[in-house]
């Protein structure tokens, strides 16, 4: 598998006013009273009579304290210096395809390709970000195609370790519509058909949702279906295939990958090497829906596989340094909710509310389609 070769390469008191005021029409014989109050007087002539009007104003000395400054939220993710939208659709970066290899078997239901593009260090992306690709040609209205976003499948150093490339994991989209016509996805087919040397218009990088946590001792639970594996491959390369002066992963990275057939498993050789290299820090569980079943004879989807570790996963989710990342088909989130509802209820916890708290704490991160 081509992926094996790649691994070898690298306040005020209240709203009611404390200020009170009164005014009255005062005749000259009231001057002594005015003086006694030390109030200012003013005069007006009205019908030849001089009237003095005193404004009795009470000035309260109010000491106000500055409201406490709102604490600045510090992200738990590696977001310092993250660059977004350096290249935009009107002025994209022109990249060159270096490698494009099919990484699924010939009998797999659909093709998935791993592709490598030049950046020359001009697209300073991070693990978990995405780039946009603008396919060549025009749409049915004669206008240039719009960009499509793809999760980056390589670490920030890239597959060659020189910070000058970026990789994608793309499935060729082909389907039959209601009229019985074969429809090909514009951008996915453009990418999967690329030959080395071809130029590609790239935008980005974009996204902060899927950035890695800062804590090198954290537990990461990564849930992927199909090409949703892309950001997790980028995480795992940084964790286990690279050496960094400022980062060494000592926690637990637990990957769940769901695919239809074993010939659809992506980067399996790479993950096997990671298991061998760091058995205490990396676990991987596959869910092959058309080939595997659970003890009840149910098809093995990603949530089915997770259910086998439900209690262990729940205990991890109750820890402050556990981060869940989910990428792939939208339907898997409901299946995971179904597992967690009962587990949380046993501890007297409402799962939906608890999940919102996890999201707020940046511990539940979702990028689905």
């Amino acid at each position: 598998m081509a992926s094996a070769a790649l691994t070898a390469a690298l306040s005020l008191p209240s709203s009611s006013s404390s200020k009170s005021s009164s005014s009255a029409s005062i005749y000259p014989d009231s001057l002594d009273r005015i003086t006694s109050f030390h109030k200012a007087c003013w005069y007006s002539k009205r019908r030849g009579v001089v009237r003095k009007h005193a404004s009795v104003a009470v000035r309260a000395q109010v000491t106000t304290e500055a409201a406490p400054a709102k604490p600045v939220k510090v992200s738990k993710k590696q977001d310092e210096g993250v660059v977004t939208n350096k290249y935009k659709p009107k002025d994209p970066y022109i990249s060159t395809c270096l490698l494009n290899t099919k990484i699924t078997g010939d009998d797999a239901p659909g093709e998935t390709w791993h592709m490598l593009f030049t950046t020359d260090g001009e697209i300073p992306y991070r693990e978990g970000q995405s780039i946009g690709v603008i396919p060549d040609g025009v749409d049915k209205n004669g206008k240039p195609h719009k960009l499509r976003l793809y999760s980056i499948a390589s670490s920030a150093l890239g597959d060659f370790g020189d910070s000058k490339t970026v990789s994608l994991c793309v499935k060729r989209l082909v389907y039959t519509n209601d009229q019985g016509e074969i429809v090909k996805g514009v951008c996915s087919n453009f990418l999967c058909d690329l030959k080395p040397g071809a130029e590609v218009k790239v935008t980005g990088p974009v996204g902060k949702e899927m950035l890695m946590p800062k804590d090198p001792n954290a537990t990461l639970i990564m849930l992927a279906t199909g090409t949703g594996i892309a950001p997790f491959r980028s995480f795992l390369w940084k964790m286990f295939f690279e050496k960094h002066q400022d980062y060494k992963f000592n926690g637990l990275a637990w990957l769940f990958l769901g695919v239809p057939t074993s010939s659809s498993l992506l980067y399996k050789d790479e993950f096997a090497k990671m298991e061998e290299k760091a058995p205490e820090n990396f676990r991987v569980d596959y869910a092959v829906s058309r080939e595997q079943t659970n003890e009840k004879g149910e098809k093995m989807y990603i949530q089915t596989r997770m259910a086998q570790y439900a209690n262990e996963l729940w205990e991890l989710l109750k820890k402050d340094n556990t981060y869940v990342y989910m990428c792939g088909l939208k339907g898997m989130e409901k299946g995971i909710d179904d597992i967690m509802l009962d587990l949380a209820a046993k501890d007297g916890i409402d799962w939906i509310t608890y999940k919102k708290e996890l999201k707020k704490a940046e511990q539940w991160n979702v990028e689905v389609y």
Side-chain angles (χ1 to χ4, degrees), residues 256 294 302-311 313 339 343:
F256 290 86
N294 65 5
I302 189 168
Q303 61 266 30
T304 318
R305 180 65 75 194
M306 290 177 66
Q308 296 179 334
Y309 304 97
N311 290 308
L313 289 168
I339 298 169
L343 289 166

Side-chain angles (χ1 to χ4, degrees), residues 31-57:
L31 278 174
D32 290 340
R33 192 186 311 170
I34 297 171
T35 304
S36 68
F37 278 100
H38 302 285
K39 300 302 177 183
C41 300
W42 71 92
Y43 299 85
S44 66
K45 291 184 179 180
R46 191 175 291 176
R47 294 182 183 178
V49 179
V50 177
R51 297 186 179 186
K52 293 182 180 179
H53 300 271
S55 176
V56 182

Side-chain angles (χ1 to χ4, degrees), residues 263-281:
S263 55
S264 304
L265 286 169
L266 307 175
Y267 309 113
K268 187 177 180 181
D269 292 348
E270 294 182 4
F271 300 147
K273 288 185 178 181
M274 292 174 189
E275 278 189 299
E276 182 180 348
K277 186 175 182 179
E280 300 299 318
N281 304 100

Side-chain angles (χ1 to χ4, degrees), residues 98-110:
L98 296 178
L99 173 74
N100 200 6
T101 305
K102 189 174 73 167
I103 55 174
T104 47
D106 292 338
D107 60 338

